[in-house]
Amino acid sequence: MTTSLRTRDGGPATGRPASRRSRGEAPFRYASTGAGILLLVIMAAIAVFLIVEALPALQANQGSFLGTLTWTPNNTEPSFGIAALAFGTLLSSLLALVMALPVAVGVALFISHYAPRRLAGVLGYVIDLLAAVPSVIYGLWGIIFLVPLVQGPYEFINEYLGFIPLFGGESVSGYSIMTASIILAIMILPIIAAISREVFLQVPRMHEEAALALGATRWEVIKTAVLPFGRPGVISASMLGLGRAMGETIAVALIFPATFGISFQILVPGGNSIAANIANGFAEAGPIGRGALIASGLVLFIITLLVNTAARLIVARRKEFSGAAA
């Protein structure tokens, strides 16, 4: 049995037999479905493992896991809480995203719509190369170069802008949430820029030509045609970068002085994150201490899932208005 097809000119054409076409569809469908189910099974297995390993420590905890600001799970009477760690993780990651996103989008727009072709190719290669740099390199760079460099600017900001709660404090230091956020911003910038660049390159050429035909300038073309089309992709790239920042370990572990407290003063010495605390404390932790660290990992796992879910909802709501579905 063959299917009757039509050529571009309207003439008859003989297609492949339907049996040959359908022969490969079922295996591919089953393989795709199996891959999706396997991913869900892996995520469920991770969640179950974290819950099972964390339960003994949570039951032995003498404090409030959600509200206690201390971390002493290895004491005779263990007491630990996730509040300070979750706060430091979210604050440093959000600050990094705020700093990295505008720069990344600007770099992506320059590469895709302003730079000459040869220069765009070189810059794209450099961006991809930065994304492959190990995090420990960023951490060492932060300790050796960035921490001494920012001490002077921090003092200046604290002196003249100290009335703003974020920049207040009696003393400032390079080992602070702000420094960790700068390093995280540099780390996630290549990821956001690379994905945004590829999204901007997918804008239909007809959209841009239509805007130019109506007399729009280059910036107006970007504002009316490129950015609306690429907004869902930029949001997805931002959430991917945010997830990378929240899960980063070595770079922030080298910067954070491992304090446990909640403060919006980002220039004062202090700060910690869930991933950094796990890296710093796992080797010396006892059974309860390791269970407490695994419990904090479970919280990070949940936060990451919530962030990704929120990103999917935002993209789904904006996609119909972006022109991406056209």
Side-chain angles (χ1 to χ4, degrees):
M1 175 181 177
T2 60
T3 55
S4 177
L5 303 177
R6 295 302 237 180
T7 64
R8 181 176 297 180
D9 298 331
T14 302
R16 289 183 178 179
S19 59
R20 290 185 58 189
R21 292 204 318 272
S22 61
R23 190 179 304 164
E25 291 179 2
F28 179 76
R29 181 173 67 252
Y30 294 145
S32 301
T33 304
I37 295 175
L38 178 61
L39 178 61
L40 295 177
V41 170
I42 292 175
M43 293 184 63
I46 293 174
V48 170
F49 167 79
L50 293 175
I51 293 173
V52 170
E53 294 294 326
L55 278 178
L58 293 176
Q59 293 172 350
N61 186 15
Q62 300 298 314
S64 171
F65 181 67
L66 297 179
T68 301
L69 298 181
T70 59
W71 191 269
T72 56
N74 297 309
N75 288 359
T76 305
E77 296 184 355
S79 176
F80 54 90
I82 198 64
L85 297 175
F87 175 82
T89 300
L90 292 174
L91 181 59
S92 59
S93 300
L94 289 175
L95 287 174
L97 183 62
V98 169
M99 289 185 282
L101 181 58
V103 179
V105 172
V107 170
L109 288 173
F110 177 75
I111 294 176
S112 61
H113 287 80
Y114 284 96
R117 179 172 300 180
R118 291 185 177 179
L119 180 59
V122 174
L123 290 177
Y125 176 78
V126 172
I127 292 296
D128 295 338
L129 186 63
L130 286 175
V133 175
S135 59
V136 66
I137 302 299
Y138 287 106
L140 293 175
W141 172 81
I143 290 180
I144 297 173
F145 177 79
L146 187 60
V147 169
L149 180 67
V150 298
Q151 184 65 36
Y154 283 2
E155 294 175 353
F156 177 85
I157 294 173
N158 177 257
E159 181 178 357
Y160 293 99
L161 298 177
F163 59 91
I164 301 175
L166 281 177
F167 306 132
E170 297 181 358
S171 62
V172 297
S173 170
Y175 294 96
S176 60
I177 290 181
M178 185 63 180
T179 305
S181 300
I182 294 174
I183 295 176
L184 290 175
I186 296 173
M187 294 180 65
I188 67 176
L189 190 151
I191 299 174
I192 302 176
I195 298 176
S196 301
R197 177 196 66 202
E198 296 301 323
V199 172
F200 293 150
L201 289 174
Q202 301 303 317
V203 177
R205 186 63 182 171
M206 293 180 61
H207 291 190
E208 299 184 34
E209 292 177 351
L212 290 172
L214 293 174
T217 63
R218 180 68 65 85
W219 163 243
E220 290 172 337
V221 170
I222 291 176
K223 183 173 64 174
T224 58
V226 177
L227 290 179
F229 180 90
R231 187 177 293 118
V234 173
I235 294 174
S236 299
S238 302
M239 295 302 102
L240 183 62
L242 180 61
R244 167 73 189 276
M246 290 191 299
E248 178 52 43
T249 305
I250 299 300
V252 294
L254 294 174
I255 299 298
F256 280 141
T259 59
F260 295 89
I262 295 178
S263 174
F264 285 96
Q265 297 175 341
I266 60 176
L267 301 182
V268 300
N272 208 342
S273 71
I274 295 176
N277 186 59
I278 293 174
N280 289 328
F282 197 85
E284 301 177 355
I288 299 299
R290 293 189 179 185
L293 294 174
I294 292 175
S296 67
L298 176 62
V299 173
L300 181 60
F301 182 76
I302 294 173
I303 292 175
T304 304
L305 287 181
L306 293 176
V307 169
N308 289 330
T309 302
R312 295 295 299 177
L313 293 176
I314 294 173
V315 170
R317 293 189 60 182
R318 290 182 175 270
K319 187 175 182 180
E320 58 181 313
F321 304 106
S322 68

